[in-house]
Amino acid sequence: MAEFFPNIPRIKYEGPQSDNPLAFKFYNPEEEIAGRKMKDHLRFSMAWWHTLCANGTDMFGVGTVDKSFNTSDPMDLAKAKVEAGFEIMDKTGIEFFAFHDRDIAPEGENLAETNRNLDVIVDLIEAKMKETGKKLLWDTANMFGNPRYMHGAGTSPNADAFAYAAAQAKKAIEIGTRLGAEGYTFWGGREGYDTLLNTNMGLELDNMARLLRMEIEYGRSIGFKGNFYVEPKPKEPTKHQYDFDSATVIGFLRKYGLDMKLNIEANHGTLAGHTFQHELRVARTEGYFGSVDANIGDMLLGWDTDEFPYNVYDTTLAMYEVLKAGGFEKGGLNFDSKTRRPSCGLDDIFHAHIMGMDSFALGLRMADKLIKDGRIDKFVEERYSSYNSGIGKKIVDGTATVQELEEYALAMGDVKTNTSGRQEYLEAVMNQVMFG
Ligand code: XUL
Ligand code: CO
């Protein structure tokens, strides 16, 4: 069996003082934090598409990294990627992976041939999973790349495209079922519009829900045990995606009664004008927290740059939400992240994952410290303490009426009890906990 990265050893934890670039400084997989091993808190996943497929091609230029893995035949390349992918997971200690159907096998002349190509590669992946114990965090169908989906998939005005998408997702769910996937993700790549002048929004939304319902029912009927996720994103490639952000998707899932959770991507949150933490907070508050696509955008660029996460404030606040949600069950941290175009070495794949894993390990350590420190949680609790007794308790118990509140307000004169929100103090606490 070919080794594709002979210069890369198994990456080990060496601690914050290490100057070995191929070692973890903060991610110590077996170390217990908040009652769980770090690796079980973080459940890192390798994204097949960025790690094994993306070669640096952008709108202005061709690829900069050679990911041909010594072959030009499309099926041989697909097989080589299985070997390379499992080598990367083995060397980094990443225990999960995620893929689109089209990442793992090329399309054939027709759907039947495409599905046969998939079966050949899924056989290989299944054998590798048995041999190594690596697990599928989720799979998905790429229903946005091929021109047949130029108007959308579930939201296409063309029923033939809807039917093709349904068949494609069916096959991807069968693959997920066979591989024991912990999840299946729907990211609506072109489920949106570029102009309302040609769009029947009501029918498109109904149809999107119809597709999701059919696929979920089918998945459950064949024994799929994982979570079904929607991954919100506000735009790109379409001007407007229906799955705009967590709040919009939750409203949609409730309207149509769909039993799904969210797969929240950091960069999609910031594209929607929110913080990563906000998106997670909405999901956990509403009971839809599921999984995470870990990455970061660029403050100065208005698109989905999918950078490996380096910002420890972000990862800390994200892991704070994850811990408060009770941790991942079937979800995890999937690196939907890619190296920058000039990071043109294959070894950069490892530097990128080491950095991303260390950033989230730091986030976990810091979030645990923030919770143990307790000052922030205590402050929030006290801030709302007026609801624990008196008129506040009546409001939350649902026994107060507007007449009673009017009487209360008249007697009170004015609100004299407001206290400081202390944002700057709380930010100082966070800095002290992180760096003190
Ligand atoms: C695109 C994106 C996708 C989904 C899976 O922005 O995030 O790769 O994660 O389709
Ligand atoms: Co994503």
Side-chain angles (χ1 to χ4, degrees):
M1 186 185 71
E3 192 182 7
F4 289 106
F5 312 98
N7 300 326
I8 307 288
R10 272 220 175 99
I11 313 298
K12 298 205 183 69
Y13 172 72
E14 291 187 4
Q17 308 309 327
S18 168
D19 60 5
N20 175 2
L22 293 171
F24 295 118
K25 319 298 182 302
F26 304 102
Y27 178 56
N28 188 11
E30 299 295 325
E31 184 180 330
E32 279 218 4
I33 293 197
R36 228 170 155 184
K37 288 182 179 173
M38 285 186 100
K39 64 175 188 181
D40 297 328
H41 271 294
L42 297 166
R43 291 168 59 90
F44 289 124
S45 155
M46 179 195 78
W48 211 271
W49 54 103
H50 286 314
T51 303
L52 299 164
C53 305
N55 67 356
T57 301
D58 71 8
M59 241 116 76
F60 300 92
V62 298
T64 55
V65 198
D66 182 3
K67 290 189 182 169
S68 64
F69 298 111
N70 313 324
T71 179
S72 55
D73 174 75
M75 277 306 277
D76 285 345
L77 177 60
K79 291 174 189 169
K81 283 179 187 170
V82 177
E83 297 290 338
F86 278 82
E87 186 180 336
I88 293 168
M89 286 188 270
D90 177 48
K91 290 187 167 171
T92 53
I94 291 178
E95 299 201 327
F96 295 88
F97 58 104
F99 60 75
H100 303 80
D101 48 1
R102 303 300 174 250
D103 305 335
I104 63 167
E107 287 206 53
E109 289 292 313
N110 52 47
L111 187 58
E113 190 182 313
T114 300
N115 288 348
R116 281 197 294 277
N117 288 348
L118 276 168
D119 290 338
V120 171
I121 303 302
V122 170
D123 282 347
L124 292 182
I125 293 178
E126 190 178 37
K128 278 282 180 191
M129 288 172 74
K130 286 216 173 94
E131 186 186 312
T132 62
K134 304 293 178 196
K135 294 182 277 275
L136 182 56
L137 189 70
W138 50 261
D139 71 323
T140 183
N142 177 331
M143 308 196 300
F144 44 87
N146 191 290
R148 71 176 70 92
Y149 299 125
M150 66 174 78
H151 304 295
T155 63
S156 175
N158 182 347
D160 285 353
F162 184 107
Y164 205 104
Q168 199 182 319
K170 172 180 176 284
K171 177 71 180 172
I173 290 169
E174 287 163 1
I175 290 170
T177 307
R178 186 173 154 197
L179 297 179
E182 313 252 324
Y184 183 89
T185 295
F186 286 89
W187 170 62
R190 294 187 196 273
E191 312 292 32
Y193 61 81
D194 288 312
T195 173
L196 287 171
L197 291 173
N198 64 14
T199 300
N200 180 342
M201 187 187 276
L203 180 64
E204 292 201 1
L205 287 167
D206 288 349
N207 279 350
M208 192 160 79
R210 287 182 180 111
L211 178 66
L212 295 176
R213 175 166 298 110
M214 279 185 227
E215 300 296 346
I216 293 170
E217 280 175 9
Y218 176 70
R220 294 302 178 215
S221 79
I222 61 166
F224 181 77
K225 300 270 185 322
N227 286 333
F228 282 101
Y229 302 116
V230 174
E231 182 177 323
K233 186 176 183 183
K235 56 189 165 189
E236 194 197 354
T238 58
K239 174 163 87 175
H240 177 93
Q241 282 194 196
Y242 293 129
D243 299 329
F244 197 89
D245 58 4
S246 294
T248 312
V249 173
I250 290 168
F252 171 86
L253 295 177
R254 285 187 177 146
K255 173 178 174 193
Y256 292 99
L258 294 165
D259 183 14
M260 303 181 80
K261 293 193 180 309
L262 301 186
N263 178 41
I264 290 171
E265 177 163 331
N267 202 166
H268 295 179
T270 49
L271 274 183
H274 305 307
T275 60
F276 182 19
Q277 185 191 12
H278 167 93
E279 287 295 86
L280 292 166
R281 175 69 64 94
V282 171
R284 101 165 147 92
T285 302
E286 301 296 325
Y288 283 79
F289 170 75
S291 201
V292 166
D293 269 10
N295 62 18
I296 189 169
D298 187 299
M299 196 170 54
L300 302 180
L301 301 175
W303 61 90
D304 194 16
T305 60
D306 285 345
E307 295 173 39
F308 274 84
Y310 56 82
N311 184 321
V312 177
Y313 281 101
D314 257 16
T315 60
T316 299
L317 294 169
M319 287 313 296
Y320 175 84
E321 297 300 328
V322 172
L323 290 177
K324 289 281 180 184
F328 290 116
E329 283 178 40
K330 295 184 175 179
L333 292 168
N334 174 51
F335 285 114
D336 194 349
S337 312
K338 60 180 177 221
T339 49
R340 297 304 84 195
R341 189 166 184 268
S343 300
C344 59
L346 281 178
D347 56 347
D348 285 298
I349 294 173
F350 291 88
H351 292 297
H353 282 90
I354 291 168
M355 186 277 286
M357 292 162 83
D358 267 343
S359 298
F360 265 95
L362 269 169
L364 171 62
R365 291 177 186 280
M366 298 300 162
D368 178 51
K369 279 170 78 176
L370 269 184
I371 292 169
K372 292 216 167 91
D373 174 84
R375 277 177 287 175
I376 290 180
D377 284 342
K378 186 157 172 279
F379 183 87
V380 175
E381 209 180 296
E382 278 169 14
R383 188 160 183 246
Y384 295 88
S385 59
S386 65
Y387 291 96
N388 296 341
S389 60
I391 197 71
K393 184 148 185 353
K394 284 190 164 178
I395 293 171
V396 295
D397 285 349
T399 58
T401 63
V402 283
Q403 293 90 328
E404 187 182 354
L405 294 175
E406 184 189 41
E407 260 172 50
Y408 183 88
L410 287 168
M412 172 170 64
D414 204 348
V415 178
K416 302 182 199 87
T417 45
N418 270 337
T419 53
S420 170
R422 295 242 192 279
Q423 177 170 335
E424 298 77 9
Y425 158 72
L426 295 167
E427 286 162 348
V429 168
M430 189 166 169
N431 280 346
Q432 187 196 1
V433 168
M434 289 176 72
F435 302 104

